[in-house]
Amino acid sequence: MSSATASPTVLIIEDDPVFRRVLHFTVAKTGLAVEAVSDGETGFQRLLTGDISFLVTDFQVPRLEGIELLRAIQTIPEIADVPAVLCTAKGFELDSEQLRKEFGLIAVMHKPFSPRGLSELIVQTLRQRGVNIATPATIAGMTAVSPPSRISPSNLGAPPMQRSPSTIGSFHD
């Protein structure tokens, strides 16, 4: 980041407009700056301009799918170390552990997932990397009551055991 007072910026690449707004709102509540785009090419161009602290990308987005985006990022040293989470509705079709290793992902999150859990994972990861995050309470001049709960990327990366059609939710790739 270029400024000590600027909040770290999270880039969200999600083509579903409702889910994109939910993720934007939930992550922004942590005190982080959030930018959200609807396609991979726009997200890639934004990454190239710099100052992105964390990336959340959907697996299936228009113009440059999540895997293609992650491959492109690996070829550019200036952005290759941006921590990332891949979100997907593909469930058992993907090898989450292989994807985490291949792209150095923080997690592969299977939809539906908790936007709050994603927010906590982002904050936890950035703090572990030494990024100073001003919580909404500290921004208002107060001391935060408690940090986000600790969560493990391995808990978020496993697909659910079983889902019935009524519990799948409305957010899909």
Side-chain angles (χ1 to χ4, degrees):
M1 275 185 329
S2 58
S3 172
T5 60
S7 292
T9 301
V10 176
L11 176 62
I12 298 171
I13 305 172
E14 170 61 58
D15 60 328
D16 180 298
V18 174
F19 198 45
R20 185 172 58 245
R21 283 191 301 271
V22 168
L23 292 177
H24 186 286
F25 175 78
T26 307
V27 174
K29 282 178 50 176
T30 67
L32 295 167
V34 180
E35 294 180 30
V37 299
S38 62
D39 69 84
E41 182 60 36
T42 303
F44 183 64
Q45 293 304 317
R46 176 57 188 93
L47 279 163
L48 292 175
T49 66
D51 290 329
I52 296 296
S53 302
F54 201 99
L55 171 66
V56 177
T57 185
D58 194 9
F59 181 80
Q60 289 182 300
V61 287
R63 298 186 53 215
L64 187 63
E65 289 199 347
I67 297 299
E68 296 167 330
L69 172 72
L70 293 170
R71 283 194 182 107
I73 290 170
Q74 286 181 325
T75 67
I76 303 171
E78 294 82 10
I79 59 174
D81 65 342
V82 173
V85 168
L86 179 68
C87 304
T88 182
K90 290 290 186 183
F92 293 108
E93 298 173 39
L94 298 178
D95 183 343
S96 298
E97 190 58 33
Q98 184 271 331
L99 288 170
R100 285 182 66 213
K101 288 179 184 175
E102 181 178 350
F103 297 109
L105 297 169
I106 302 303
V108 174
M109 297 182 73
H110 297 268
K111 296 177 183 179
F113 60 84
S114 163
R116 183 173 176 221
L118 172 63
S119 296
E120 291 176 356
L121 178 63
I122 293 168
V123 168
Q124 178 182 331
T125 300
L126 291 175
R127 284 186 174 149
Q128 287 173 348
R129 291 174 174 240
V131 177
N132 185 24
I133 300 169
T135 63
T138 59
I139 291 169
M142 304 177 335
T143 303
V145 175
S146 63
S149 62
R150 288 224 174 273
I151 54 176
S152 167
S154 62
N155 292 339
L156 297 172
M161 294 303 288
Q162 287 185 318
R163 297 185 198 153
S164 68
S166 64
T167 62
I168 289 177
S170 61
F171 305 118
H172 302 283
D173 283 331

